[in-house]
């Protein structure tokens, strides 16, 4: 098929590249000229394992192209994906300006029947707006061209996006046309090992499915984080509780790992947007608001523990931070717990030495310049370099290189052997045996008695 993908960000780039890998001819469009120029050179705007060689390979095979406008596309597409960003607006609702602009461009471009697919995460009813905008543009051109609108939300996990695309556990497709259904089936057949895993439904149902899925996962995380706080207060080890409830087949083990809060481009934004949708329809989003509030409180957990240990004035304290991205496998720092931690430490004049395997180029661009210029924040070249003469290590992101560190090397480098584990990656008993002072999230009886004083 000839496919156009509007938007060469995370979703658009992964989607377009994977469809090209399946033998389709794909053109990715983005208005960011520098981004497109870099992509043509094989320089990607994001880090995603396995994506760069796939992009380069498909460009070499002439199945994947990058341009800055629809006018540069020379072939008639059968399918056009809208995969632009839908960031949170000031009131928490999803900002639809890029989606609607894409719709206007499509309406001024198409000359034959095609399927227009909303891949972006959009509120319920946006597909109708997209349809009307395209119809209005066609009317202005005095054309009567048939087209179909489809909602096909993405469920790509950063760090595992290629595998998620090529081996999906489900594909959600919202539509109202048999012709569009046939085209979508043809498009996804190469990766459908189990045909029953593609679910067809109404467009609005599909739009809502994406929001509810992300909100449910965020709810599980926030619920377990709240239980972790309670466990710590009551002298209970939340990790044993997690294992216990995870063995229940009705609950399972996914998204019940306690930690220092969720982040990224999806969960925070989609929970906010769902809250706004509920309020617009006179529904009190009690649970969703609690999920958001718990996540906010959880991101303060680590800085609060640090001030309990060292006091409010951290001028003479040096802290090592391992992990800046919101999760392992990505350089995405949007809504990351590390951002809250760094801000809380630096406002108290702490000296911070941070390291992340892939996110440091993003950090240099994203973080305030005065943090670096003041000398209070330094990005270390190696994870152990970040430990030099520090009073504590804070683990924020559970990257694999951090899972089994050399404790002897750490003790020699650190001024004080203190570890604050924001992801419960380490065995408290092993830490005690190595003579480290260890503070996890909700570890209760598993840690030393001094932790009781840090319960929040």
């Amino acid at each position: 098929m000839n496919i156009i993908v509007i938007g060469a960000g995370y979703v658009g780039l992964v989607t377009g590249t994977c469809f090209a890998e399946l033998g389709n001819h794909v053109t990715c469009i983005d208005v960011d000229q520098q981004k497109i120029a870099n992509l043509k050179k094989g320089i990607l705007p994001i880090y995603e394992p396995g994506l760069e060689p796939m992009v380069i390979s498909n460009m070499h095979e002439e199945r994947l192209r990058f341009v800055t406008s629809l006018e540069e596309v020379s072939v008639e597409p059968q399918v056009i994906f809208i995969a632009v960003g839908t960031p949170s607006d000031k009131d928490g609702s999803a900002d639809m300006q890029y989606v609607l602009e894409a719709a206007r461009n499509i309406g001024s471009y198409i000359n034959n029947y095609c399927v227009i697919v909303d891949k972006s995460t959009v509120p319920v009813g946006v597909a109708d707006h997209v349809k009307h905008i395209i119809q209005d543009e066609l009317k202005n051109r005095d054309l009567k061209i048939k087209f179909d609108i489809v909602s096909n939300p993405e469920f790509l996990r950063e760090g595992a996006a290629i595998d998620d695309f090529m081996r999906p556990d489900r594909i959600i497709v919202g539509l109202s046309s048999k012709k569009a259904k046939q085209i979508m089936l043809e498009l996804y057949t190469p990766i459908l090992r189990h045909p029953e895993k593609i679910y067809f439904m109404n467009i609005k149902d599909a739009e809502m499915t994406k929001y509810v899925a992300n909100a449910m996962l965020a709810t599980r995380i926030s619920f377990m984080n709240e239980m972790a706080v309670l466990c710590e207060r009551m002298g209970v080890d939340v990790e044993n509780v997690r294992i216990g409830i995870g063995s229940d087949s009705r609950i399972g083990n996914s998204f019940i790992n306690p930690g220092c809060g969720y982040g990224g481009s999806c969960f925070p934004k989609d929970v906010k947007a769902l809250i706004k949708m509920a309020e617009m329809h006179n529904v009190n989003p009690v649970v969703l608001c609690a999920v958001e509030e718990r996540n906010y409180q959880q991101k303060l957990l680590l800085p609060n523990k640090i001030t309990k240990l060292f006091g409010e004035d951290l001028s003479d304290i040096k802290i090592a931070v391992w992990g800046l991205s919101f999760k392992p496998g990505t350089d995405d720092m949007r809504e990351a717990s590390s951002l809250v931690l760094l801000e809380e430490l630096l406002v108290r004049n702490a000296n911070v030495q941070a390291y992340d395997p892939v996110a440091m180029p993003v950090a240099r661009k994203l973080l305030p310049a005065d943090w670096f210029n003041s000398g209070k924040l330094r990005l270390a070249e190696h994870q152990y370099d970040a430990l030099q003469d520090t009073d504590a290590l804070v683990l924020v992101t559970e990257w694999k290189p951090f899972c089994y560190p050399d404790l002897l090397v750490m003790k020699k480098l650190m001024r004080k052997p203190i570890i604050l584990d924001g992801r419960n990656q380490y065995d408290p008993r092993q830490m005690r045996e190595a003579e480290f002072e260890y503070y996890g999230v909700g570890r209760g009886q598993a840690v030393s008695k001094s932790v009781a004083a840090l319960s929040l």
Side-chain angles (χ1 to χ4, degrees):
M1 285 191 192
N2 292 324
I3 298 171
I4 291 175
V5 179
I6 300 177
Y10 187 84
V11 174
L13 188 56
V14 172
T15 299
T17 303
C18 287
F19 274 129
E21 182 75 6
L22 296 172
N24 299 287
H25 291 274
V26 179
T27 302
C28 287
I29 301 171
D30 201 289
V31 296
D32 187 332
Q33 294 185 0
Q34 186 59 55
K35 180 192 291 185
I36 293 299
N38 285 338
L39 282 166
K40 288 178 178 179
K41 299 174 186 176
I43 302 171
L44 275 59
I46 59 170
Y47 172 81
E48 179 62 35
L51 185 60
E52 182 179 310
M54 192 179 286
V55 168
I56 293 171
S57 171
N58 281 282
M59 281 197 297
H60 179 74
E61 296 296 330
E62 298 184 348
R63 291 191 299 263
L64 182 62
R65 295 178 64 236
F66 296 100
V67 299
T68 57
S69 68
L70 279 166
E71 288 71 22
E72 297 177 66
V73 182
S74 57
V75 296
E76 291 288 343
Q78 284 89 43
V79 181
I80 301 176
F81 282 93
I82 298 176
V84 296
T86 55
S88 291
D89 216 335
K90 292 180 180 179
D91 62 356
S93 62
D95 185 350
M96 289 294 105
Q97 62 173 310
Y98 305 114
V99 172
L100 302 183
E101 181 62 25
R104 280 187 283 272
N105 292 335
I106 291 170
S108 64
Y109 166 77
I110 58 173
N111 292 301
N112 293 289
Y113 172 87
C114 63
V115 176
I116 291 101
V117 184
D118 272 334
K119 201 71 173 170
S120 302
T121 302
V122 298
V124 174
V126 167
D128 290 337
H129 291 300
V130 169
K131 181 179 180 179
H132 293 146
I133 288 172
I134 295 173
Q135 287 173 334
D136 288 343
E137 291 296 326
L138 290 173
K139 186 177 179 181
N140 291 339
R141 296 168 61 200
D142 293 322
L143 294 176
K144 293 183 179 180
I145 298 171
K146 291 184 178 181
F147 63 92
D148 281 309
I149 299 292
V150 169
S151 174
N152 176 217
E154 55 85 16
F155 296 96
L156 305 175
R157 295 169 299 165
E158 293 190 45
I162 292 174
D163 192 58
D164 286 346
F165 187 96
M166 295 297 190
R167 298 176 182 83
D169 55 6
R170 83 285 201 198
I171 297 171
I172 303 297
V173 182
L175 42 68
S176 58
S177 157
K178 289 183 179 180
K179 187 173 183 179
K181 181 177 181 179
Q182 187 57 44
I183 290 174
M184 296 302 290
L185 272 172
E186 182 181 342
L187 192 61
Y188 279 113
T189 291
I191 59 174
L192 278 176
R193 292 171 177 80
H194 303 285
E196 69 275 9
K197 289 193 174 183
I198 185 166
Y199 300 94
F200 293 101
M201 58 186 70
N202 293 329
I203 292 174
K204 289 184 178 181
D205 299 345
E207 290 172 329
M208 189 64 167
T209 297
K210 174 60 187 288
Y211 278 105
V212 174
N214 279 351
M216 173 61 79
L217 298 177
T219 299
R220 286 172 67 99
I221 294 170
S222 280
F223 175 81
M224 203 63 196
N225 281 338
E226 189 155 297
M227 292 304 100
V229 173
L230 181 59
C231 284
E232 192 164 305
R233 285 280 182 91
M234 298 175 68
V236 175
D237 184 358
V238 73
E239 287 301 309
N240 287 329
V241 175
R242 177 184 63 81
I243 293 168
I245 66 170
S247 64
D248 187 330
S249 60
R250 297 170 301 174
I251 298 173
N253 291 300
S254 298
F255 292 87
I256 60 169
N257 292 80
C260 51
Y262 61 77
S265 63
C266 293
F267 289 4
K269 170 177 69 72
D270 292 350
V271 169
K272 284 182 172 68
L274 202 51
I275 288 172
K276 190 63 179 178
M277 278 187 266
E279 291 172 346
M280 289 173 64
H281 291 84
N282 297 317
V283 174
N284 184 9
V286 177
V287 174
L288 293 170
C289 288
V291 168
E292 190 173 47
E293 176 61 22
R294 168 45 59 195
N295 195 54
Y296 169 76
Q297 295 294 335
Q298 207 69 14
K299 290 181 179 181
L300 293 172
L301 195 68
L302 291 172
N304 285 347
K305 284 180 181 289
I306 290 171
T307 56
K308 287 280 186 179
L309 279 169
F310 300 110
E312 287 291 331
D313 183 3
L314 301 176
S315 302
D316 298 323
I317 303 300
K318 186 181 290 185
I319 303 293
V321 175
W322 278 1
L324 295 171
S325 59
F326 86 93
K327 61 178 280 189
T330 180
D331 61 356
D332 193 345
M333 289 180 61
R334 285 174 289 184
E335 301 280 348
S337 300
S338 63
L339 297 176
V340 176
L341 173 66
L342 292 175
E343 184 173 3
E344 292 293 320
L345 292 178
L346 293 169
V347 78
R348 292 172 172 81
N349 293 312
N351 295 281
V352 180
Q353 299 176 168
Y355 173 79
D356 188 285
V358 303
M360 294 205 291
V362 173
R364 289 188 179 95
K365 295 178 182 178
L366 178 67
L367 300 178
D370 59 337
W371 287 4
F372 297 106
N373 296 337
S374 66
K376 288 291 185 178
L377 174 62
R378 182 176 74 87
L379 299 182
E381 293 299 319
H382 188 276
Q383 68 183 78
Y384 292 111
D385 292 341
L387 300 177
Q388 189 68 50
D389 298 324
T390 54
D391 298 286
L393 163 65
V394 185
L395 177 75
V396 181
T397 315
E398 63 276 31
W399 285 94
K400 288 180 180 178
F402 302 156
C403 291
Y404 296 99
D406 189 324
L407 298 180
L408 292 177
V409 170
M410 292 173 66
K411 280 195 73 174
K412 289 179 181 178
L413 290 171
M414 297 176 70
R415 213 156 42 197
K416 296 178 182 177
I418 299 174
I419 294 178
L420 294 100
D421 183 357
R423 299 296 177 184
N424 286 356
Q425 285 296 292
Y426 303 134
D427 183 342
R429 286 164 294 188
Q430 183 183 11
M431 292 296 115
R432 284 202 304 272
E433 289 171 1
E435 299 181 334
F436 276 87
E437 197 172 333
Y438 174 83
Y439 304 98
V441 179
R443 298 311 303 262
Q445 294 179 358
V447 296
S448 60
K449 292 181 181 179
S450 59
V451 173
L454 295 181
S455 295
L456 302 174

